[in-house]
Amino acid sequence: MYEIGVVYRNVQRTEARVADALGALGSATTHEALGRVGVMKPYLRPIYPGTGVSGTAVTVLLQPGDNWMLHVAAEQIQPGDIVVAAVTADSTDGFFGDLLATSFKARGARALVIDGGCRDVKTLTEMGFPVWSRAVSARGTVKATLGSVNVPVVCAGVLVHPGDVIVADDDGVVCVPRSLAAAALAAAEKREQKEKEKREKLASGVLGLDMYEMREPLAAAGLRYVDR
Amino acid sequence: MYEIGVVYRNVQRTEARVADALGALGSATTHEALGRVGVMKPYLRPIYPGTGVSGTAVTVLLQPGDNWMLHVAAEQIQPGDIVVAAVTADSTDGFFGDLLATSFKARGARALVIDGGCRDVKTLTEMGFPVWSRAVSARGTVKATLGSVNVPVVCAGVLVHPGDVIVADDDGVVCVPRSLAAAALAAAEKREQKEKEKREKLASGVLGLDMYEMREPLAAAGLRYVDR
Amino acid sequence: MYEIGVVYRNVQRTEARVADALGALGSATTHEALGRVGVMKPYLRPIYPGTGVSGTAVTVLLQPGDNWMLHVAAEQIQPGDIVVAAVTADSTDGFFGDLLATSFKARGARALVIDGGCRDVKTLTEMGFPVWSRAVSARGTVKATLGSVNVPVVCAGVLVHPGDVIVADDDGVVCVPRSLAAAALAAAEKREQKEKEKREKLASGVLGLDMYEMREPLAAAGLRYVDR
Amino acid sequence: MYEIGVVYRNVQRTEARVADALGALGSATTHEALGRVGVMKPYLRPIYPGTGVSGTAVTVLLQPGDNWMLHVAAEQIQPGDIVVAAVTADSTDGFFGDLLATSFKARGARALVIDGGCRDVKTLTEMGFPVWSRAVSARGTVKATLGSVNVPVVCAGVLVHPGDVIVADDDGVVCVPRSLAAAALAAAEKREQKEKEKREKLASGVLGLDMYEMREPLAAAGLRYVDR
Amino acid sequence: MYEIGVVYRNVQRTEARVADALGALGSATTHEALGRVGVMKPYLRPIYPGTGVSGTAVTVLLQPGDNWMLHVAAEQIQPGDIVVAAVTADSTDGFFGDLLATSFKARGARALVIDGGCRDVKTLTEMGFPVWSRAVSARGTVKATLGSVNVPVVCAGVLVHPGDVIVADDDGVVCVPRSLAAAALAAAEKREQKEKEKREKLASGVLGLDMYEMREPLAAAGLRYVDR
Amino acid sequence: MYEIGVVYRNVQRTEARVADALGALGSATTHEALGRVGVMKPYLRPIYPGTGVSGTAVTVLLQPGDNWMLHVAAEQIQPGDIVVAAVTADSTDGFFGDLLATSFKARGARALVIDGGCRDVKTLTEMGFPVWSRAVSARGTVKATLGSVNVPVVCAGVLVHPGDVIVADDDGVVCVPRSLAAAALAAAEKREQKEKEKREKLASGVLGLDMYEMREPLAAAGLRYVDR
């Protein structure tokens, strides 16, 4: 996090199969499987609804109001990557627009997650290049100060290492550390299977109180029922 | 508001006919008819646009990061109800997702209004189960601490008693106390009728200045016109 | 900004051809052409996505929770205008709804930009009358205190004079001073032409690093590449 | 909460002895004794540090940017009261200054708690009249629109009835309903006694882990110790 | 506001006698005398309490995270000036610290008002150099991008021209346009005289209801008194 | 960051001499020496002004509204430590009060930095135990859910490892990674020496423009001077 002016090349990425499978399960299920950690702050929102992606992180550390390092990052993108951009101070400027998106897409990037602003959202929507950002702003940036590429960054409150898995959808963005990704996937798949069964029971009118056997612990905790 | 660990059953609800009719008039008209009160703070937003609902309140008091009481509340839902969930401290966690929505829907609930976060919004949108929330977040909750069901709660700045009417649409959420609902409906219907006539006049180019007879009071208040 | 209780009539507007052409280029390109200034704070958001408009400003200064002056402003609207409303203190109330929109539209207004709240957004969406606002709220306003029309106002951090050009789209709102509009248009058109060429190159896989000749200045600034 | 334009006189207040005793125990102890409820949102801050007060609530419902009802409330103040002012919409204007404070003090008020702004804070500090507010602002208000006095209000997220006990100090503001005040006092005094004993033990180096007998439940919950 | 890269010299300042006299009256009285306008947003706070100053504005337009122009501005300071710094995008970085304060003080500046962050607040407090800022932050800035000096700026929502009067104290910051300063002073002095008389009456127990003759207009507006 | 339910013991701390020396230089100088990184977000504020401390980090990961792990952390404190507490979701509850402070102080802790709320601030001020927090709140917490001690945490946007140096004063909080602390100290001392010389020159009236030799680069960047 403290290195400025460095680009790490050839970082090791989580296996594509694992990253893809976590994306299919979604951010909420993945985060639960991780032990209820790894969710970026909810001010990060998708620029258009209905999209879900996953991929491996190429990280970027930006200076506020300066998008120079996004151009540097483009060269480090491999197919299946998601670029994750942190900023050294809070900024809502439009760091990213349709030109960079064209370049990122040509390199194989699947999405951008940025703890700053984004612009050209209409064109990005038409291009189908999804972005999760903290703001949308027409205000552009300069190219004057160095940051870094592929160093660990803190994005929207979560530490991201290059090569970690990023899962992003309408519910937000989750980061799964590379070393935990396979285990998280196994846990998530188990969880998903159980949820399907529960959904059917609940749809048929069974109460969660009964299905989860909550009545006893609730009574033990002191819950009282009073008729009006 | 100060009772923790209690579930009130068999609460008296506003007549369904009144609750339904207020929903047809919408949140803005209803709030004006109430005397310009009862609107929840505008940080509550629908998870998808274009829906308007109304119903009778089942209230829930949650602890931050804990959705146990939503499971308890499910049993108290009757067809036509809207669940209104307050939290004892600010929290944006995803208290509610598609499993609870399946259960709520099976019980006849029309919507959830929650002064906290929501998740699984893509599935909820597909299910057509509307939620008004202060945030969307993949971050889940635990089931460890008691709250209450059907006690008076303060949700997004507004006091809600069980059985009150809730009107929610793209403009936000309004609560109409049960004792005032019939009178509010009568006033709202009168207002709505007038608005239709006004709309036609304004569309034809008549100025509000003339239609509302504002020129005299504006002059009396000291308004001056200056040509440039 | 300091005059309360005045309506200026017959203000001089930027030439329609210039205002229209800037709208076609969009807020981001226009702001860059102006020298990276003139963007309103990004908390102003469109009430529905996908619309872009431009026009000449009719300015309104409102008191918090009071929309009297919007009715006064309606009379000053000419076809091609965009109403820009500032408030003397932060307020999220719903100052504007479908009745005023009907009137504004009948007078030829293209949009409203308001540093306050808006309501009836479903109807406004159906009417196709776009609004950029800081909030959506069912809470209405009174008509009790004077403000002004066509005085200079500060809206979302930007000074707007009557007759300035307003460009608003999904990326936000930009104000172009009347005296700079023609020059800004010329600069924006030049910029737009260049962007098209760049987009094609980037889509073909050329890196911005090479296209913008950044490798040398990056190295001069001290950027290091390290293999992992 | 929904009555506008009414002043209730002769409201029943909590016994002064109870209100005073709760103030001596402070907001944190009182809130714990209530069952961890009743704390107003922490954006309410004292205008100067180091003061703690308690008293019985005279409630005021204000319109945004309008302090007319504070003048009306002055007449309803009895010695030992604390005025609690809510606003029907978020506002940071300076509703209260040294003139009103002079009047409130002359009537026997001990403090003001206001979900809005305050001004003249230097003079208020010199006068020793404490205020808990959400903002300090030189911006004044008008006297144009009715609110109410001594109706139930929601102030900073908490429901307050006239006559309830208000405890305010550097940690914030707590409201104790009149019907629960005596029981809360008894519970708070018991708690306070225990805290004194604990403080001595902890100061001598005894760990909370041992004093509270937490080691076993922590181990049961799965806590592991690892040496580095 | 739209000129970048310009320093205006020899700007005309409001007469010192007027600027000083407004300071003695304070921000709240000055703003009322101006017609209740000119107050900067209340997020601007003094870095230490108890100070009140006034002076003539030297304006600075900064780029986010860049304090180069504050160094340029120092040369334009004359004794009795207050530097007013706006930033082209929201930033909380520490643009200003004890070195710049030493220089500003040596040039005769009385204070800084900055719509950004400040640091070295302990030293500034010891030096007695007051700053009104939106944040305190240890994070420093670079010196890379041009802004302007002595152009009109929007600071915390208020338009400030060089030479305007700035009044800043515990209640916030007010800007008085140069052309209105003498009239504002006359109005403020008249207001201040009246307030003294009112204060004495209110201290003696006279109610504002009677002193301001509010009982009749309140009744006319429909206020009802109800005994409990 | 992703381990829940673990306490690491015997973590390696930065040398006390280095931690102490950085504290004497302060947060602003330290952060500059680090390369302008490591500053926590400026919403972290000291509960009382005028204190500066430094020490080695004992890290704690808390669940929202739950302070169990602070009790666990107490046992891991060594003289000279500063406890740094992160929370897995945004929370302003009062996690820390005078009882925990008594225990922390008895163990030799110098301060607490917490990305949550604090209470008992009057007593903490009297005790001289400084806390940097994001809020002050009377609202207490439960002891129900595990977090961790001495794992890497993200506190107010900055990654902190156990044993890192924390420098906290009126300007905010900076974290210096253990491996960089000695180098940062050397750089900071060099910087400090230069600042003293600069301060004397600036106090004598020398302009920064001349002292820093900025006139040429400003002219090269295009700065123009215009007389009015």
Side-chain angles (χ1 to χ4, degrees), chain F:
Chain F
M1 192 161 70
Y2 293 97
E3 276 180 304
I4 299 285
V6 186
V7 180
Y8 285 98
R9 288 187 290 215
N10 311 316
V11 302
Q12 206 169 341
R13 287 159 167 87
T14 306
E15 203 186 340
R17 183 191 56 81
V18 173
D20 291 355
L22 284 167
L25 295 165
S27 63
T29 297
T30 297
H31 133 91
E32 295 285 353
L34 259 184
R36 295 207 315 116
V37 291
V39 184
M40 294 187 189
K41 290 191 191 286
Y43 62 68
L44 282 193
R45 299 301 302 143
I47 58 168
Y48 55 88
T51 294
V53 297
S54 64
T56 43
V58 166
T59 64
V60 187
L61 185 61
L62 299 166
Q63 302 288 354
D66 191 311
N67 75 350
W68 214 10
M69 285 299 122
L70 288 173
H71 293 277
V72 175
E75 192 176 25
Q76 306 307 317
I77 293 171
Q78 294 181 4
D81 283 343
I82 290 179
V83 179
V84 177
V87 189
T88 59
D90 285 357
S91 173
T92 59
D93 290 347
F95 292 86
F96 185 84
D98 70 330
L99 285 184
L100 269 166
T102 300
S103 183
F104 277 28
K105 207 173 175 180
R107 306 290 298 181
R110 292 179 176 172
L112 170 71
V113 173
I114 183 164
D115 201 353
C118 172
R119 63 183 188 176
D120 299 334
V121 299
K122 193 176 181 185
T123 308
L124 295 176
T125 305
E126 290 163 2
M127 288 173 63
F129 189 85
V131 177
W132 282 257
S133 71
R134 74 184 299 164
V136 170
S137 173
R139 201 182 124 87
T141 51
V142 297
K143 292 165 185 53
T145 317
L146 290 188
S148 290
V149 174
N150 281 333
V151 294
V153 296
V154 174
C155 180
V158 170
L159 178 65
V160 181
H161 286 84
D164 287 350
V165 178
I166 301 297
V167 179
D169 52 27
D170 285 351
D171 291 343
V173 184
V174 173
C175 173
V176 184
R178 185 163 61 91
S179 62
L180 305 178
L185 175 58
E189 283 174 337
K190 195 178 285 180
R191 185 182 166 89
E192 180 69 5
Q193 183 51 39
K194 279 192 196 148
E195 294 228 332
K196 275 187 194 156
E197 296 161 14
K198 287 179 194 166
R199 202 171 289 121
E200 283 167 28
K201 278 197 189 170
L202 293 168
S204 75
V206 175
L207 284 166
L209 284 176
D210 298 310
M211 192 176 76
Y212 297 109
E213 298 180 352
M214 286 174 175
R215 292 193 192 272
E216 204 177 343
L218 282 164
L223 190 67
R224 296 177 300 120
Y225 284 83
V226 179
D227 285 309
R228 274 255 156 93

Side-chain angles (χ1 to χ4, degrees), chain B residues 5-29:
Chain B
V6 187
V7 179
Y8 285 98
R9 288 188 288 217
N10 310 318
V11 300
Q12 205 169 341
R13 288 160 167 86
T14 307
E15 203 186 339
R17 183 192 55 82
V18 174
D20 291 355
L22 283 167
L25 295 165
S27 63
T29 296

Side-chain angles (χ1 to χ4, degrees), chain A residues 3-12 65 68-69 71-76 92-93 98-100 102-103 106-107 118-123 135-144 146-148 150-152 162, chain C residues 27-29 31-32 36-37 39-40 42-45 50-52 169-174 191 195-196 198-200 202-212 214-215 217-218 221-228:
Chain A
E3 276 181 303
I4 298 286
V6 187
V7 180
Y8 285 99
R9 288 188 289 217
N10 310 317
V11 301
Q12 205 169 341
W68 214 9
M69 285 299 122
H71 293 277
V72 175
E75 193 175 24
Q76 307 307 317
T92 59
D93 289 347
D98 70 330
L99 286 185
L100 270 166
T102 301
S103 183
R107 306 290 297 181
C118 171
R119 63 182 186 176
D120 299 333
V121 299
K122 192 176 181 185
T123 308
V136 169
S137 172
R139 201 182 124 87
T141 52
V142 296
K143 292 164 185 54
L146 291 188
S148 291
N150 280 333
V151 294
Chain C
S27 63
T29 296
H31 133 92
E32 294 286 353
R36 294 208 315 117
V37 290
V39 184
M40 294 188 189
Y43 62 69
L44 283 194
R45 299 301 303 141
T51 294
D169 52 27
D170 285 350
D171 291 343
V173 184
V174 172
R191 185 183 167 89
E195 294 227 333
K196 275 187 197 158
K198 288 178 194 167
R199 202 171 289 121
E200 284 166 29
L202 293 168
S204 75
V206 175
L207 282 167
L209 284 175
D210 298 312
M211 191 177 75
Y212 298 109
M214 287 173 173
R215 292 193 192 272
L218 282 164
L223 190 68
R224 296 177 300 121
Y225 284 83
V226 179
D227 284 312
R228 275 253 156 91

Side-chain angles (χ1 to χ4, degrees), chain B residues 81-99:
Chain B
D81 282 343
I82 290 178
V83 179
V84 177
V87 189
T88 59
D90 285 357
S91 173
T92 59
D93 290 347
F95 292 85
F96 184 84
D98 70 330
L99 285 185

Side-chain angles (χ1 to χ4, degrees), chain C residues 89-111:
Chain C
D90 285 357
S91 173
T92 59
D93 290 346
F95 292 85
F96 185 84
D98 70 331
L99 285 185
L100 269 166
T102 301
S103 183
F104 277 29
K105 206 174 175 181
R107 306 290 297 180
R110 291 181 177 171

Side-chain angles (χ1 to χ4, degrees), chain E residues 49-187:
Chain E
T51 293
V53 297
S54 64
T56 42
V58 166
T59 64
V60 187
L61 184 62
L62 300 167
Q63 302 288 356
D66 191 311
N67 74 350
W68 215 10
M69 286 299 122
L70 288 173
H71 293 277
V72 175
E75 192 176 24
Q76 306 308 317
I77 294 171
Q78 294 181 5
D81 282 343
I82 290 178
V83 179
V84 177
V87 189
T88 58
D90 285 357
S91 173
T92 59
D93 291 346
F95 292 85
F96 185 83
D98 70 330
L99 285 185
L100 269 166
T102 300
S103 183
F104 277 27
K105 207 174 176 180
R107 306 290 298 181
R110 291 180 177 170
L112 171 71
V113 173
I114 183 165
D115 201 353
C118 172
R119 63 182 187 176
D120 299 333
V121 300
K122 194 177 181 185
T123 308
L124 294 176
T125 305
E126 290 163 1
M127 288 172 64
F129 189 85
V131 177
W132 282 256
S133 71
R134 75 183 298 164
V136 170
S137 173
R139 201 182 124 86
T141 52
V142 297
K143 291 164 186 52
T145 317
L146 290 189
S148 290
V149 174
N150 281 333
V151 294
V153 297
V154 173
C155 179
V158 170
L159 178 65
V160 181
H161 286 85
D164 286 351
V165 178
I166 300 299
V167 179
D169 52 27
D170 284 351
D171 292 342
V173 184
V174 172
C175 173
V176 184
R178 186 162 60 90
S179 62
L180 305 178
L185 174 57

